[in-house]
Amino acid sequence: MSTQRIKAIILQELYITKNSLEIIIDLFYFSVITIVVFGLVSVYLTGTNNPLSAQYILVGMILWEVIRITQYSISVGALWNIWSRNLSNMFVAPLTLSEYILATMIAGMIKTGIILVLISVIASFLFKFNILSIGVVNLILALVNLTIFSWSVGVIILAIIFRYGQRIQALAWGLVFLFQPLCAAFFPVSVLPEPLRTLAYVFPPTYVFEAARLGLVNHSTNWNAMGVSFAQNIVYFVVSLLFFNYMFNKSKDIGQFAKNEG
Amino acid sequence: MQNNVLEVKNLTKNFRSSAGEFTAVDNISFSIKQGDAVGFLGPNGAGKTTTIQMLLGITNVTSGSIQYFGKDFFKHKQQCLQRINFTSAFNTLQGRISVWENLIVFATLYNVKNPKEKIMNLINYFNSESLLNQRYWNLSAGQKTRINFIKSLLNDPELILMDEPTASLDPDVVDKTLSLIEELKDKRNLTILYTSHNMNEITRICNKVIFLDHGQIVAQDSPLSLTKRIGSAKLQITFDGDKEKLENYLKEKRTTYSFIKKYIVVINTQEKDIPGIIFGISKSGIWIADIEVKKPTLEDFFLQIARGGISVNSKN
């Protein structure tokens, strides 16, 4: 594995991000507007004697952005190169698949880190909500778990894009939102109807959101929930890499990878 | 002694679909020596692009082997790719970022020592200083081609695969691009694998041509030798005299001919028979005002292959 080549992909991600209004809107603008809207909703809920629900929404929103931004960065990052007909150029350089994926993961983490700080500061100043109130250890564990989960989702979507081409590119933006209700990002799992309640516990973020909400109440670290989430994440991550490897090879077998750029 | 830069043995690619199995590349073998400029030709669907994609590792092979610089491509992919590069009219660089940013990314990908110096040297060589800070997608087709060439030279490749690098360029830019390729070839002793539908380009750039048809190599030779295989030529004669007498002579000689104007006839014949025909026409009392011999070109060879006029069993 070459650090130079990983650096090259991260550098390209940085250049594309700073030059693309669409990315700035998709990531920074969307995140800021969302936190402001949800912050105002939380203010309203606080006024209706439901302060805990208000905090649930804000903590859910801030943590949800970790999933959205990291996954977006991995999946859509490849699309920018496919749309520019540049992906082949990169893969005929001595770039390995693992270097490429690792670089997009790191780039996603950098973007997520910047936006997380930004929206946390906004939440703190405008809505008097401190994300650290879920507990520092809880927050770190939540970030680790959500990041790994979003890597898995990002890699799976990337695999599907490489295999089926641009015709399913909408998944890069849309698929992740399927997990928003299923993982009970903004409300307790108990709110979900029974079949979905059971299904929710199949996804690692469910445990994270539950642990974060519990942290708001008792300020303790929910090691058990975070541990289950982490264990599930390992399985998801390994499966996503195997799936990616299979789909990438399939794509090269049928000639789709070279055709992705039209 | 020249070494093989690329050696391909029994390369095959089958695609499976609901309609059945289709062989895009059928057991082809060839080699390219250092300093060679090899034209890769064939009608649409001949298997050129699939072969190039396999040579670059972006399409899997069904069977066969590829060796670059004596090393197995499948076992030493990164090492091989480090020593080659690729440029195509169909693959562009990242449009959203500047030329400089694109080149920095690729210089880093290829682990170029002193990347900024290297880029500036190439930018100066290609007189492209004014393009550095422009977004790639704002460049004209000719400018993009130049920048693509710069990208393909960043790692000082020993072999460049060029897939129709002049497609969709205007004739002036095509000429400049070809001059550039000729200069690069001479000054850097570059080895080139060049695909194009333009026979004049191939004749100008390449010292060897590989013809593919239906996934198989039907011929590989120098452009001149390939055209010699056709044998036939067109003899155009502008004459003054009795047309009927000329027709009688040509019928007697069993040639095929056509009058493109009242006093201009085009005779299809073998190259070796041309002197005899001219002599015979003169001898029959017809005054020849002008003679033009149209020798077969690479394009004629290409057309014969495309129309099935040359069999797979012809000399390779």
Side-chain angles (χ1 to χ4, degrees):
Chain A
M1 206 171 272
S2 154
T3 51
Q4 274 296 101
R5 294 194 289 262
I6 292 170
K7 183 181 152 192
I9 302 301
I10 295 172
L11 206 56
Q12 192 204 41
E13 280 276 318
L14 176 75
Y15 290 146
I16 295 175
T17 303
K18 84 175 172 68
N19 284 306
S20 302
L21 185 62
E22 298 96 318
I23 298 181
I24 291 167
I25 287 177
D26 279 353
L27 298 182
F28 294 89
Y29 173 81
F30 194 74
S31 292
V32 169
I33 291 296
T34 307
I35 201 70
V36 169
V37 170
F38 276 70
L40 290 171
V41 172
S42 74
V43 169
Y44 167 72
L45 289 174
T46 307
T48 58
N49 292 327
N50 207 346
L52 202 55
S53 301
Q55 290 193 340
Y56 280 6
I57 286 181
L58 273 174
V59 77
M61 197 59 241
I62 291 172
L63 293 181
W64 174 256
E65 287 301 272
V66 176
I67 297 180
R68 187 181 75 84
I69 295 161
T70 310
Q71 176 274 322
Y72 176 99
S73 187
I74 294 173
S75 310
V76 183
L79 281 173
W80 295 117
N81 278 311
I82 290 175
W83 292 326
S84 277
R85 298 183 169 190
N86 187 41
L87 196 69
S88 298
N89 274 325
M90 292 164 67
F91 278 95
V92 301
L95 174 70
T96 66
L97 209 51
S98 45
E99 288 163 354
Y100 178 76
I101 290 179
L102 183 60
T104 57
M105 286 173 177
I106 294 170
M109 278 173 67
I110 295 169
K111 287 179 204 168
T112 305
I114 294 168
I115 293 170
L116 195 66
V117 169
L118 179 69
I119 59 177
S120 298
V121 168
I122 290 172
S124 175
F125 275 94
L126 294 185
F127 308 110
K128 308 284 180 256
F129 174 76
N130 186 354
I131 187 68
L132 294 174
S133 59
I134 67 168
V136 175
V137 178
N138 239 358
L139 180 63
I140 293 169
L141 294 175
L143 294 180
V144 168
N145 274 319
L146 295 178
T147 301
I148 300 173
F149 178 73
S150 43
W151 282 347
S152 306
V153 176
V155 166
I156 285 171
I157 294 172
L158 192 63
I160 297 170
I161 290 171
F162 279 6
R163 168 63 183 81
Y164 294 102
Q166 294 180 52
R167 60 185 184 270
I168 48 87
Q169 65 192 21
L171 288 181
W173 297 272
L175 186 70
V176 73
F177 286 99
L178 181 71
F179 297 102
Q180 209 174 49
L182 287 178
C183 296
F186 308 125
F187 44 79
V189 178
S190 56
V191 171
L192 288 169
E194 179 38 49
L196 293 183
R197 203 179 305 161
T198 308
L199 183 65
Y201 287 109
V202 173
F203 305 114
T206 307
Y207 298 92
V208 173
F209 290 121
E210 288 281 88
R213 283 189 286 266
L214 199 64
L216 282 175
V217 179
N218 62 15
H219 308 288
S220 65
T221 304
N222 191 337
W223 290 101
N224 189 36
M226 292 298 191
V228 173
S229 177
F230 188 74
Q232 281 191 347
N233 264 324
I234 297 300
V235 175
Y236 272 78
F237 190 59
V238 170
V239 169
S240 73
L241 291 179
L242 292 173
F243 180 72
F244 184 86
N245 199 42
Y246 170 78
M247 292 295 255
F248 187 67
N249 260 317
K250 187 80 184 163
S251 179
K252 292 208 300 179
D253 267 344
I254 62 171
Q256 175 64 46
F257 184 71
K259 275 190 243 161
N260 272 342
E261 292 163 4
Chain B
M1 190 185 125
Q2 283 181 306
N3 298 319
N4 278 343
V5 168
L6 170 63
E7 191 161 0
V8 172
K9 277 187 190 162
N10 309 114
L11 194 64
T12 298
K13 179 65 190 174
N14 297 328
F15 288 113
R16 283 196 194 95
S17 71
S18 51
E21 195 165 281
F22 163 69
T23 302
V25 177
D26 190 0
N27 198 32
I28 65 170
S29 300
F30 63 91
S31 60
I32 300 179
K33 294 192 187 305
Q34 195 181 336
D36 270 353
V38 176
F40 213 50
L41 288 179
N44 289 332
K48 305 184 297 291
T49 302
T50 305
T51 304
I52 294 277
Q53 287 165 358
M54 288 192 286
L55 293 178
L56 290 167
I58 55 173
T59 293
N60 288 343
V61 308
T62 301
S63 61
S65 70
I66 299 168
Q67 283 197 340
Y68 285 104
F69 319 104
K71 285 186 176 166
D72 186 332
F73 181 47
F74 308 128
K75 286 182 186 159
H76 306 277
K77 195 172 170 189
Q78 269 59 49
Q79 286 175 44
C80 295
L81 289 174
Q82 182 65 46
R83 295 172 68 179
I84 68 173
N85 214 313
F86 169 68
T87 183
S88 165
F90 309 114
N91 294 97
T92 52
L93 303 187
Q94 176 52 250
R96 295 176 166 266
I97 65 179
S98 72
V99 168
W100 172 258
E101 290 167 339
N102 264 304
L103 295 175
I104 281 286
V105 167
F106 278 99
T108 313
L109 265 181
Y110 282 101
N111 201 11
V112 173
K113 305 279 176 251
N114 303 321
K116 290 178 183 174
E117 189 185 329
K118 181 79 187 177
I119 291 169
M120 284 317 296
N121 284 344
L122 286 166
I123 283 283
N124 291 335
Y125 181 80
F126 283 83
N127 295 319
S128 301
E129 294 87 341
S130 61
L131 306 180
L132 264 182
N133 295 319
Q134 291 193 37
R135 275 196 189 197
Y136 182 82
W137 67 15
N138 289 338
L139 304 183
S140 68
Q143 289 169 335
K144 281 180 183 167
T145 302
R146 254 191 292 163
I147 300 303
N148 292 353
F149 270 111
I150 292 175
K151 171 253 151 190
S152 70
L153 292 169
L154 280 171
N155 59 328
D156 289 320
E158 291 155 76
L159 167 69
I160 297 189
L161 288 83
M162 299 181 179
D163 189 15
E164 300 193 41
T166 60
S168 75
L169 296 180
D170 68 55
D172 179 47
V173 182
V174 168
D175 184 59
K176 283 179 183 161
T177 306
L178 294 178
S179 300
L180 197 71
I181 295 170
E182 286 175 312
E183 196 180 319
L184 289 172
K185 187 173 158 256
D186 294 340
K187 283 191 178 170
R188 292 170 177 252
N189 194 29
L190 262 181
T191 309
I192 295 171
L193 181 60
Y194 192 102
T195 75
S196 175
H197 285 298
N198 188 314
M199 303 305 129
N200 292 331
E201 281 182 23
I202 296 284
T203 309
R204 182 168 161 183
I205 299 288
C206 303
N207 62 319
K208 183 180 169 187
V209 176
I210 296 173
F211 262 99
L212 273 180
D213 188 32
H214 292 96
Q216 295 180 318
I217 292 178
V218 291
Q220 49 181 320
D221 213 329
S222 68
L224 186 65
S225 303
L226 287 175
T227 54
K228 276 186 178 170
R229 283 199 211 171
I230 293 181
S232 64
K234 285 187 169 71
L235 173 64
Q236 183 176 301
I237 290 177
T238 307
F239 63 96
D240 186 9
D242 189 345
K243 185 183 171 188
E244 201 174 313
K245 199 188 274 184
L246 177 63
E247 275 199 277
N248 287 338
Y249 171 78
L250 293 173
K251 278 176 189 165
E252 189 185 305
K253 288 286 172 189
R254 293 183 180 174
T255 57
T256 57
Y257 60 92
S258 61
F259 286 88
I260 57 170
K261 283 187 180 168
K262 192 174 177 186
Y263 294 109
I264 301 177
V265 65
V266 175
I267 304 157
N268 296 313
T269 182
Q270 295 297 305
E271 227 178 322
K272 61 181 172 52
D273 296 333
I274 289 174
I277 291 172
I278 294 170
F279 181 72
I281 292 172
S282 301
K283 210 177 163 190
S284 58
I286 294 161
W287 187 70
I288 297 176
D290 189 33
I291 296 170
E292 194 178 334
V293 177
K294 292 182 178 171
K295 289 192 169 184
T297 63
L298 207 52
E299 189 152 359
D300 296 313
F301 190 82
F302 181 91
L303 289 173
Q304 282 211 16
I305 285 178
R307 291 165 188 170
I310 291 176
S311 77
V312 176
N313 297 324
S314 63
K315 180 192 150 197
N316 277 346

